[in-house]
């Protein structure tokens, strides 16, 4: 049976960050995910780089962590961060006194903020409502969660980490209070393999209680569903927050070519099977339009939801802590199992550092964490390339980070590699084929995470044939199942926004796919 120093379960941003941290310390590492990378909360969040301001009043510890980690991420992962800056704004209906608490909270937590007068705020962000009564500038930004997670994974791999998606942990054997084998099923082949780990790190997010239960351990967790809506186009330049105690429908994030509004917070009994509802979408559109009136006329192209793995202490929903906790199961009977729960995308690096410190103690590795200083991915240098639009190059660089030059090389050298397959997101055929060849991609939904193909306003209406054609260039057969799973996945997020203009667009898309291309969408 193969042996590794550390086995990490769950390749969301936390697991990916741990794999990179431990690989940098010289440990032998295996990272497994039952689905694709980023298939949990790390692929379904708001993508907000928290300055800490949102938690400054109620959760000062989280605010401090966010403030310091956001600054670290700007240095170590500039390719995946957009420094939009942020504004917290209040409306006449909001509690006027909250602004003073906010100022004090930010001051105490070391969160950089400055009050700006309403006219200046409108100059900074012209999309804001003229009803706004007070505004504060903060150092919020937006993160590409896919790029950040995959960037950590690639870096870990370059240092020898074994990283496999579609490998589900199905059993854990314990002998004499110590895990001596972890069994996992490769979903591609159906075979069950085993590995002997020195330490097992449970980074399975909302699914981590299930992993702990495999060895009879209890893990307290609040599974909290949050819904988000993607709007066509960038409706604002800056990240906009409502200046009031954190509530639903507070945040508007400009992200790539779209705007993401959200979110909600509801306890759910299971991490699986959650979908955005029509009433959540209607609520989010109405609430965020109070701050940015243009939202009322915008086209919602998609909705999605994710599940937060929250520490139950501090009450439910919005009052639950956004802090994280490392749980050493040695004290409850399993010496070499450690779980991590809670936290945020913004604080993943710190979570990874803390759990890796404990893992290193257990395997007697004395090397120290270096992730706060060493870059995951610089923003690549972009030179003009004949036949490729500058914007396509810029987007390719921001999605691929340190892999940019390799991806570009494929676009330039492959036949028709420079062809734009997805015109909404400006994704090139060569880029798609690069990721198909890497071997991690199992279906077109996996391609979406790596390239953003089909993520734009047509949601696959026009690029479907291009994806099939690009896939045929690699596989030589018509990979129709690639497309069916992709369309079904996209459709899950579309059923709750089928009104007005979007309904017309979807009818048009259905006609194109069914009547013109002859492709069936089963979930429709
Ligand atoms: C709606 C929403 C909005 C959010 N917005 C923000 C934000 O704007 N900014 C921010 O900083 N944070 C935000 N967060 C929080 C952030 O997304 C999460 O804290 C973070 O992504 C958690 O990452 P993770 O790796 O711990 O968990 P996950 O990303 O959920 O990863 C867990 C992984 O474990 C895998 N797994 C499960 N069971 C098994 C098994 N048996 N074998 C192998 N693998 C398994 C899953 O497939 C999954 O990929 C948001 C969260 C939600 C839900």
């Amino acid at each position: 049976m193969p042996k590794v120093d550390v086995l990490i379960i769950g390749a969301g941003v936390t697991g990916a960050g741990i794999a990179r941290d431990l690989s940098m310390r010289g440990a032998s590492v295996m990272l497994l995910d039952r689905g694709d990378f980023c298939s949990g909360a790390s692929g379904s969040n708001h993508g907000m780089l928290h300055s800490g301001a949102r938690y400054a009043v109620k959760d000062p510890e989280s605010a401090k962590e966010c403030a310091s980690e956001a600054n670290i991420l700007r240095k170590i992962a500039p390719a995946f961060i957009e420094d939009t800056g942020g504004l917290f704004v209040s409306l006449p209906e909001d509690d006027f006194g909250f602004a003073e608490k906010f100022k004090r909270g930010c001051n105490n937590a070391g969160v950089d903020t400055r009050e700006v007068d309403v006219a200046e705020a409108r100059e900074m962000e012209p999309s804001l409502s003229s009803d706004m009564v007070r505004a504060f500038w903060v150092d919020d930004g937006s993160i590409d969660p896919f790029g950040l997670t995959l960037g950590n994974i690639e870096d870990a791999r370059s240092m020898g980490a074994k990283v496999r998606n579609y490998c589900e942990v199905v059993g854990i054997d314990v002998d004499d209070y110590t895990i001596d084998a972890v069994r996992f099923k490769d979903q591609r082949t159906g075979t069950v393999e085993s590995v002997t780990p020195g330490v097992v790190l449970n980074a399975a997010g909302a699914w981590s209680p299930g992993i702990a239960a495999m060895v009879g351990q209890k893990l307290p967790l609040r599974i909290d569903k949050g819904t988000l809506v993607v709007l066509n186009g960038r409706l604002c330049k800056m990240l906009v927050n409502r200046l009031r105690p954190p509530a639903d429908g507070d945040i508007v994030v400009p992200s790539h070519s779209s705007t993401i509004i959200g979110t909600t917070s509801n306890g759910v009994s299971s991490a699986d099977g959650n979908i955005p509802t029509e009433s959540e979408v209607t609520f989010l559109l109405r609430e965020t339009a109070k701050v940015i009136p243009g939202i009322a006329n915008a086209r919602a192209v998609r909705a999605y939801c994710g599940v937060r793995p929250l520490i139950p202490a501090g009450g439910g929903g919005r009052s639950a802590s956004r802090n994280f906790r490392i749980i050493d199961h040695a004290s409850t009977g399993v010496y070499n199992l450690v779980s991590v729960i809670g936290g945020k995308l913004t604080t993943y690096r710190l979570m990874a550092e803390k759990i890796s410190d404990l893992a290193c103690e257990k395997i007697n590795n004395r090397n120290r964490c270096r992730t706060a200083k060493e870059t995951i991915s610089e923003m690549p240098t972009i030179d003009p390339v004949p036949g490729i639009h500058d914007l396509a190059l810029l987007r390719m660089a921001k999605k691929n980070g340190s892999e940019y030059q390799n991806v570009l090389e494929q676009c330039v050298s492959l036949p028709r590699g420079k062809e734009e397959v997805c015109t909404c997101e400006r994704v090139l055929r060569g880029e798609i084929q690069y990721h198909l060849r890497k071997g991690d991609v199992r279906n077109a939904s996996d391609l979406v995470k790596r390239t953003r193909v089909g993520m734009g306003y047509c949601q696959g209406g026009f690029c479907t044939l291009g994806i099939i054609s690009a896939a045929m260039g690699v596989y030589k057969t018509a990979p129709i199942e690639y497309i069916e799973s992709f369309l079904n996945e996209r459709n899950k997020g579309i059923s709750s926004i089928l009104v007005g203009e979007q309904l017309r667009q979807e009818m048009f898309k259905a006609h194109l796919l069914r009547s013109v291309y002859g492709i069936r969408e089963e979930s429709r």
Side-chain angles (χ1 to χ4, degrees):
M1 205 185 299
K3 288 187 178 166
V4 287
D5 290 337
V6 185
L7 175 77
I8 305 154
I9 305 174
V13 72
T14 311
I18 300 169
R20 175 173 188 257
D21 186 321
L22 287 168
S23 299
M24 289 168 89
R25 301 191 205 205
S28 66
V29 166
M30 181 181 253
L31 170 65
L32 301 175
D33 201 290
R34 67 174 191 169
D36 189 18
F37 311 131
C38 275
S39 51
S42 303
S44 43
N45 55 66
H46 218 150
M48 174 175 174
L49 179 73
H50 283 278
S51 61
R54 185 162 171 82
Y55 304 115
V57 175
K58 275 217 144 165
D59 200 348
E61 207 181 324
S62 288
K64 278 183 202 153
E65 280 170 6
C66 286
S68 106
E69 286 301 306
N71 284 333
I72 292 173
L73 286 187
R74 284 190 173 93
K75 289 191 190 111
I76 65 165
F80 308 125
I81 306 280
E82 192 181 342
D83 269 321
T84 57
L87 285 168
F88 272 70
V89 301
S90 61
L91 299 176
E93 68 195 73
D94 297 331
D95 168 14
F96 200 72
F98 183 75
E100 293 311 314
K101 290 186 200 154
F102 177 81
K103 257 202 308 202
R104 257 198 317 277
C106 286
N107 247 346
N108 292 343
V111 174
D112 200 9
T113 184
R114 161 171 72 86
E115 182 154 17
V116 289
D117 71 35
V118 174
E120 189 186 349
R122 291 251 299 170
E123 216 166 277
M124 292 164 113
E125 183 46 71
S127 67
L128 287 172
S129 163
S130 51
D131 290 344
M132 166 181 47
V133 290
R134 215 162 169 186
F136 287 81
W137 170 89
V138 295
D139 205 5
D140 286 337
S142 85
I143 313 179
D144 177 343
F146 303 119
L148 185 62
T149 307
L150 295 168
N152 271 283
I153 286 175
E154 284 313 313
D155 213 32
R157 272 181 168 158
S158 73
M159 290 177 274
K162 296 183 184 70
V163 186
R164 291 171 64 179
N165 59 0
Y166 293 108
C167 286
E168 179 173 10
V169 170
V170 290
I172 302 179
D173 301 332
V174 180
D175 186 32
D176 196 18
Y177 306 108
T178 305
I179 293 173
D180 60 7
V182 172
R183 282 169 281 123
F184 60 94
K185 185 174 180 183
D186 185 328
Q187 313 279 9
R188 287 184 174 90
T189 60
T191 52
V192 175
E193 300 173 44
S194 292
V195 60
T196 301
V199 181
V200 177
L201 302 183
N202 176 10
W207 297 267
S208 50
I211 301 292
M214 288 181 189
V215 290
Q217 296 285 301
K218 276 211 173 106
L219 205 55
L221 196 72
R222 177 185 155 96
I223 305 175
D224 194 80
K225 175 190 164 196
T227 289
L228 297 144
V229 181
V230 184
L231 305 175
N232 182 22
R234 276 175 85 110
L235 303 178
C236 49
K237 295 187 289 184
M238 299 178 77
L239 204 143
V240 177
N241 259 272
R242 188 88 170 259
L243 183 58
R244 65 180 180 187
D248 290 354
D250 268 358
I251 309 177
V252 182
V253 179
S255 170
H256 293 272
S257 59
S258 31
T259 307
I260 306 176
I261 60 169
T263 173
T264 56
S265 176
N266 293 305
V268 286
S269 55
S270 167
D272 293 304
N274 296 297
I275 49 165
T277 64
E278 218 173 292
S279 61
E280 287 167 338
V281 171
T282 315
F283 170 81
L284 289 174
L285 286 166
R286 199 181 49 229
E287 198 61 17
T288 51
K290 291 180 186 167
V291 183
I292 298 187
I295 289 174
N297 300 318
R299 186 158 67 85
V301 291
R302 187 163 182 261
Y304 60 96
C305 65
V307 278
R308 304 175 183 92
L310 298 183
I311 299 171
R318 295 285 166 203
S319 54
S321 169
R322 267 34 176 187
N323 215 322
F324 68 89
R325 190 173 297 156
I326 309 285
I327 297 153
D328 185 349
H329 296 272
S331 57
T332 47
V334 185
Y335 171 71
N336 57 346
L337 175 67
V338 184
S339 297
V340 54
I341 56 168
K344 305 213 55 79
L345 178 65
T346 308
T347 54
Y348 88 92
R349 193 213 59 83
L350 182 64
M351 293 160 72
E353 174 178 337
K354 296 295 176 206
I355 196 170
S356 299
D357 283 348
L358 186 51
C360 281
E361 256 177 50
K362 288 182 187 277
I363 57 171
N364 214 8
N365 176 322
R366 288 165 199 275
N367 295 325
R368 305 188 67 131
C369 176
R370 308 197 320 260
T371 56
K373 296 234 159 69
E374 292 188 23
T375 309
I376 301 168
S377 187
E378 292 288 357
M379 183 62 194
T381 311
I382 307 168
D383 296 319
V385 178
I388 304 182
H389 197 285
D390 289 351
L391 195 53
L393 291 171
L394 177 65
R395 290 193 181 166
M396 197 190 295
K398 287 186 87 51
K399 284 176 289 187
N400 293 287
S402 56
E403 283 191 89
Y404 169 68
Q405 285 303 339
N406 299 339
V407 179
L408 182 60
E409 202 272 319
Q410 295 270 296
C411 297
V412 172
S413 62
L414 289 173
R416 295 168 57 202
K418 295 179 188 169
E419 203 174 280
E420 248 177 38
V421 169
C422 169
T423 46
C424 310
E425 292 287 330
R426 291 196 176 270
V427 184
L428 308 189
R429 185 180 167 95
E431 200 177 341
I432 290 180
Q433 294 195 334
Y434 172 85
H435 287 287
L436 284 173
R437 284 202 170 88
K438 274 191 76 180
D440 291 333
V441 169
R442 199 176 171 198
N443 55 47
S445 294
D446 300 347
L447 268 181
V448 174
K449 300 192 187 92
R450 288 153 180 87
T451 65
R452 296 188 61 82
V453 68
M455 259 187 160
Y457 48 84
C458 89
Q459 290 287 301
F462 295 108
C463 50
T464 301
L465 278 192
I467 301 174
I468 293 182
S469 162
M472 280 173 75
V474 174
Y475 293 105
K476 308 293 178 213
T477 52
I480 200 77
E481 69 276 15
Y482 258 65
I483 290 306
E484 281 177 350
S485 67
F486 162 69
L487 291 173
N488 289 334
E489 198 51 44
R490 295 276 95 189
N491 286 346
K492 273 190 211 158
I494 286 170
S495 53
S496 54
I497 48 142
L498 285 180
V499 287
E501 183 55 25
Q502 187 58 22
L503 180 57
R504 273 189 288 280
Q505 295 289 333
E506 285 305 315
M507 303 275 295
F508 175 57
K509 188 172 114 190
H511 170 70
L512 268 182
L513 294 173
R514 243 187 256 136
S515 317
V516 182
Y517 305 160
I519 295 169
R520 277 160 44 84
E521 295 168 278
E522 280 163 13
S523 65
R524 197 168 277 264

